[in-house]
Amino acid sequence: MSAIKASIDIARRPEEVFSYVTDPSHLPEWQESAVSAHSVDDAPLAVGSKFQTIRRMGRREIPMTMEVTELDPPRRWHFRGIDGPIRGDVTGTIEPLGDGERSRMTFSLDFETHGMGKAIVPLVVRPQMRKELPRNEERLKALLEA
């Protein structure tokens, strides 16, 4: 299956958008399925860093560990899940708009599945994320533009 993608324009500089969206501690503020998120090692985010999230999928809360595989401030990031039956693969890009005071963020989400994840992703996770992603981006926009 193909990745779930969405873009949104935000009236904030790319550096500000990048800093906010790549900080795992902010995930529960703008992603409705994120229950909690924190760095594994409390070090600044860098390629190779890991962070843990707990996501609500349907009625369950699923813990997962993500690894930073690419970090190119303020343009691009890539996080990939490294454990559990459902492993997210998240890529984000930020383009400056106009005079650089606005940004276009594009978010791409895909999944690698193992075990029971093979049944859960097409039936529960993908439909939930297709609905949630545009709402998450609108919430992010509202938070950053406030």
Side-chain angles (χ1 to χ4, degrees), residues 1-2 4 8 18 37 42 47 49 56 61 63 67 71 83 95 128-129 136:
M1 292 188 172
S2 62
I4 301 167
I8 193 162
F18 186 90
D42 292 325
V47 172
S49 296
R56 187 172 297 106
E61 289 187 359
E67 179 178 26
L71 204 58
D83 62 6
E95 306 168 61
Q128 178 178 331
M129 294 315 296
N136 289 347

Side-chain angles (χ1 to χ4, degrees), residues 41-57:
D41 56 13
D42 292 325
L45 202 64
V47 172
S49 296
K50 294 179 179 72
F51 61 94
Q52 292 186 313
T53 63
I54 296 178
R55 293 200 173 269
R56 187 172 297 106
M57 296 293 169

Side-chain angles (χ1 to χ4, degrees), residues 111-128:
F111 303 95
E112 179 183 326
T113 59
H114 298 268
M116 71 174 193
K118 292 180 184 199
I120 294 171
V121 165
L123 297 174
V124 177
V125 177
R126 266 190 195 279
Q128 178 178 331

Side-chain angles (χ1 to χ4, degrees), residues 93-109:
T93 59
I94 300 174
E95 306 168 61
L97 298 175
D99 59 1
E101 296 297 316
R102 296 175 52 244
S103 305
R104 175 167 296 136
M105 185 184 81
T106 302
F107 199 76
S108 175
L109 172 63

Side-chain angles (χ1 to χ4, degrees), residues 4-146:
I4 301 167
K5 295 183 181 183
S7 294
I8 193 162
D9 293 353
I10 301 172
R12 292 292 291 266
R13 299 179 56 75
E15 297 82 6
E16 295 168 312
V17 176
F18 186 90
S19 176
Y20 187 86
V21 300
T22 59
D23 180 339
S25 69
H26 291 300
L27 293 179
E29 296 168 9
W30 65 279
Q31 294 184 4
E32 65 185 54
S33 66
V35 175
S36 66
H38 65 277
S39 171
V40 170
D41 56 13
D42 292 325
L45 202 64
V47 172
S49 296
K50 294 179 179 72
F51 61 94
Q52 292 186 313
T53 63
I54 296 178
R55 293 200 173 269
R56 187 172 297 106
M57 296 293 169
R59 295 183 198 169
R60 297 188 59 190
E61 289 187 359
I62 300 173
M64 51 186 76
T65 304
M66 303 292 287
E67 179 178 26
V68 178
T69 59
E70 182 179 351
L71 204 58
D72 182 17
R75 294 182 266 304
R76 184 175 165 83
W77 71 93
H78 182 216
F79 302 155
R80 91 182 163 77
I82 59 172
D83 62 6
I86 302 167
R87 300 176 189 181
D89 190 297
V90 181
T91 302
T93 59
I94 300 174
E95 306 168 61
L97 298 175
D99 59 1
E101 296 297 316
R102 296 175 52 244
S103 305
R104 175 167 296 136
M105 185 184 81
T106 302
F107 199 76
S108 175
L109 172 63
D110 208 352
F111 303 95
E112 179 183 326
T113 59
H114 298 268
M116 71 174 193
K118 292 180 184 199
I120 294 171
V121 165
L123 297 174
V124 177
V125 177
R126 266 190 195 279
Q128 178 178 331
M129 294 315 296
R130 282 190 198 287
K131 291 177 188 172
E132 182 182 321
L133 187 55
R135 292 191 303 258
N136 289 347
E137 287 189 324
E138 287 297 330
R139 184 176 293 126
L140 174 66
K141 178 181 176 77
L143 282 167
L144 290 178
E145 291 181 355

